[in-house]
Amino acid sequence: MSGRPFLQIPGPTNVPDRVLRAMDRPVIDHRSPEFGAMVKALLPDVAKVFKSETGKVVLYPSSGTGAWEASLVNTLAPGDRVLSFNNGHFSTLFAEAARNLGIEVDEVPLRWGQGVPAELVEEKLRADQGGSAAYKAVLVVHNETSTGVTSNVVAVRQALDTTGHDALLIVDTVSSLASMDFRMDEWRVDVTLTGSQKGLMLPPGMALLCVGPKAIAASQSGGSRRSFWDWNRIIADNATGFFPYTPATLLLFGLREAVTMLLEEGLDDVFERHERLAVDAWGLKNLCENPAEVSNSLTAVVTPDGIDSGDVMKIAREQYDLALGVGLGRVRGKIFRIGHLGALNELEVLGTLGGVEMALAQAGVKIELGAGVAAAQRSFVAGRQAVATPVAATSR
Ligand code: PLP
C-alpha cells in the first residue's frame, strides 16, 4: 500500500526519525572510551525519566518480560510470598512469571476493566500474618495494557504506609513510563520496570529498570540464584560506563536520542500531550469501568454484541494499513485496542480515528461516520485554546 502505514497498537510504537537516524550508524566497540563516556552520561538522564535520584538504572538486552524476571530474581527467593492483583493479561503473566520462579503468589482476582483498589490492598496487608510468611513484595501493573486501565500507585504506596507493611513495591510501567505521570522516588517505588518499545519510542529489544536502595539491599543479601539477570554485576560495571556482556549498542544510541527528545519536550508536557490525545471519541463502551482510571496511553474499545473485534481489526489492517491492538486472553474477539502513546500528535490521532470509524462501519457497527473524528477535533481545539489563552492575554 502506498503512503505511511499506521501502527497504532499499544506498543511497539512508532519510532521517530530522529531516533532512527541516531541508530543508523556504524556499530562501535562497546569497550571503547567513546562508548563508555556515552553510557556514563546517559544513565543519569534515563533516571530522570523514572523521576529518581536515589535509584540505579539497569538495562538489559531483553523485552519487558525479562524486566519482570530481573525484578523478581534479584529481590525474591523461591518460597517467598508476594501479593498481586489480576486485572488483565499482563498482571496475569507477571504473577505467572513469579510462580514459575517458585515464588508463592497471593493473586487477588479483579474484573478485567477494574484498577487495583487501594482499600483491598490495605485489607490484604492488614490480614498478612507477618513473620517469615509475610508478603515480601507487592506487584502492581501501573497501566494494564490489555484493558486500558491505570491503577493508582500512590494509593498502593499509602496502603503500605498506613499498615506499616515493609514489603517491596514492584511496579510494571511498561505502557506508562514516559507517557503518564510516574515518580519513582516521590512515590517510594522500590523497583520500576519497563520496555523500550512504548513511551520510550524505541524499537523492541531493551528492558529498563530503576532499582531503589531497599531493593538493592534485598538483592545483596538474598534473592534467587541468578546469573545473567544479576543487576549487581551490571550496576558495578555501569559505574565506568561498561557492561558485563555485549550491550545492544545501537539501541543505546537510540535511547540517548529518545531521552534527549523527552527531556527537550519536558516530561510534564509529554504527560499533558498524552492526556490531551486520549480522547473519548465515540459512545462505544470502554472496557475501563471507572472514568478516573481510563488510560492515557491506550483505549480498549468493546465492540457491540454480535460484532467480532477481530473483524474490525482485519478490515483496518487489510484495507487501510492501520494496525490496532488485538483483544488478549479472555477478551479476545470482544475488544480492540487503540494505542495512543509515544511519538504522536493530533493529526495522527485523527487519521487513526477516521480509519477505525470506517472499519467499524464496514464491520456492521452502527456508527455515524465522522462523529468520532469531529468529537476529537472539538476536544483538541478546546485543549489548544486553553493552552493559548494565557499567552494571548499577556501579549495584549
Ligand atoms: N507488561 C506490560 C504492562 C505490557 O504491556 C507488556 C507487553 O506489552 C509486558 C509487560 C511484556 O513486555 P514484552 O512483550 O516486551 O515482553
Side-chain angles (χ1 to χ4, degrees), residues 21-45:
R21 280 197 297 269
M23 294 188 298
D24 181 9
R25 50 166 295 151
V27 174
I28 66 165
D29 175 8
H30 60 285
R31 302 193 195 281
S32 66
E34 182 194 349
F35 185 78
M38 192 275 283
V39 170
K40 261 182 94 171
L42 170 63
L43 295 178
D45 280 352

Side-chain angles (χ1 to χ4, degrees), residues 178-192:
S179 304
M180 286 178 227
D181 191 15
F182 180 82
R183 309 175 199 181
M184 165 111 181
D185 282 9
E186 196 180 315
W187 300 353
R188 281 178 296 122
V189 173
D190 296 297
V191 182
T192 307

Side-chain angles (χ1 to χ4, degrees), residues 48-51 142 176-183 187 199 262 265-278 296-297 340:
K48 286 182 195 157
V49 178
F50 286 93
K51 295 214 170 148
H142 184 203
S176 59
L177 194 87
S179 304
M180 286 178 227
D181 191 15
F182 180 82
R183 309 175 199 181
W187 300 353
L262 289 167
E265 184 175 354
L267 284 178
D268 289 342
D269 286 353
V270 171
F271 304 149
E272 191 274 328
R273 174 166 55 81
H274 281 80
E275 198 178 328
R276 195 157 31 86
L277 297 181
N296 283 345
S297 63
H340 35 84

